[in-house]
Amino acid sequence: MTSDILKLNYYQLFELVPTYVVNASVLQQKMRSLQQLYHPDNHVEDEDMNTMAIAISSHINTAYNTLLDPLARAIYLLGIYGINVDLVHDTKFSHEFLFQQIELREAIAEAKDSQDIDKLESIELELKNSFHQLEVQITYKFIQEDYSIIIEDIKQLSFYNKLLKLINDILCEI
């Protein structure tokens, strides 16, 4: 076992072409085969090998989760191309998008206060549709290598992702 595997980017690790579109079942198959090779339980007799296997297994899990998640995958792929996406500090959005976010948050708050599960599920469906539309736009822009304007879509995808998590949390509470 060698530590060279830790130097591979996530696409190299899974022997995938670095594209935004990833086949989840292929990714899962490759993850299973990598975990079979490098799982720490396979190296319990040798402490050094076990330590290395733990690091490699963690790298495999992080890579898998990143490539499986549309938002994380887009950010990671742009990083490969040398483009940094800062979702924390880059908070400039169009007024239209910001207004839409305010309206969505107000609708979610109202539905939560009234415990209107149907309304929350309706908003959730609307958000999932918007999320999917952005994924399609991002896919197209990656194909066109139009990296300069993907960042705005990724930032919006991040907002939708947060709102979907918020709705999920509320639905779990009710």
Side-chain angles (χ1 to χ4, degrees):
M1 183 179 329
T2 174
S3 64
D4 289 346
I5 195 169
L6 296 172
K7 296 175 185 173
L8 298 176
N9 75 42
Y10 298 165
Y11 288 93
Q12 293 167 332
L13 178 65
F14 286 98
E15 300 173 337
L16 299 171
V17 176
T19 61
Y20 182 67
V21 177
V22 173
N23 184 321
S25 62
V26 169
L27 182 65
Q28 186 176 41
Q29 289 171 352
K30 290 186 182 269
M31 194 273 278
R32 286 184 182 149
S33 65
L34 285 169
Q35 284 294 15
Q36 285 177 344
L37 288 172
Y38 298 106
H39 198 278
D41 289 348
N42 299 335
H43 307 282
V44 290
E45 303 84 31
D46 184 339
E47 187 175 328
D48 290 337
M49 293 290 279
N50 186 264
T51 301
M52 179 63 68
I54 290 170
I56 291 171
S57 182
S58 175
H59 183 64
I60 292 166
N61 287 335
T62 301
Y64 175 77
N65 289 325
T66 298
L67 294 179
L68 194 60
D69 179 80
L71 177 61
R73 181 174 60 246
I75 293 169
Y76 185 80
L77 186 56
L78 282 178
I80 289 175
Y81 296 132
I83 300 168
N84 182 39
V85 178
D86 184 358
L87 295 177
V88 174
H89 297 100
D90 186 2
T91 57
K92 294 179 184 174
F93 290 97
S94 70
H95 292 295
E96 179 184 321
F97 182 76
L98 288 174
F99 186 69
Q100 179 189 26
Q101 294 309 302
I102 292 169
E103 287 180 337
L104 281 168
R105 285 192 178 273
E106 287 174 355
I108 291 168
E110 287 174 17
K112 177 185 178 185
D113 291 344
S114 63
Q115 295 192 345
D116 188 343
I117 294 174
D118 291 337
K119 180 65 176 172
L120 286 167
E121 289 175 344
S122 172
I123 297 169
E124 181 182 41
L125 181 60
E126 178 184 331
L127 287 169
K128 285 180 178 180
N129 288 335
S130 296
F131 192 94
H132 177 70
Q133 288 173 355
L134 276 172
E135 281 185 291
V136 170
Q137 289 175 13
I138 290 169
T139 299
Y140 178 76
K141 289 174 183 174
F142 269 115
I143 291 169
Q144 298 298 315
E145 298 180 5
D146 199 356
Y147 307 132
S148 61
I149 59 173
I150 291 177
I151 294 173
E152 182 67 26
D153 292 339
I154 290 172
K155 291 183 337 185
Q156 290 181 14
L157 198 67
S158 175
F159 258 90
Y160 290 132
N161 199 39
K162 288 176 188 174
L163 291 177
L164 284 167
K165 287 179 182 176
L166 174 64
I167 289 175
N168 184 56
D169 290 346
I170 293 169
L171 288 171
C172 288
E173 289 175 10
I174 296 179

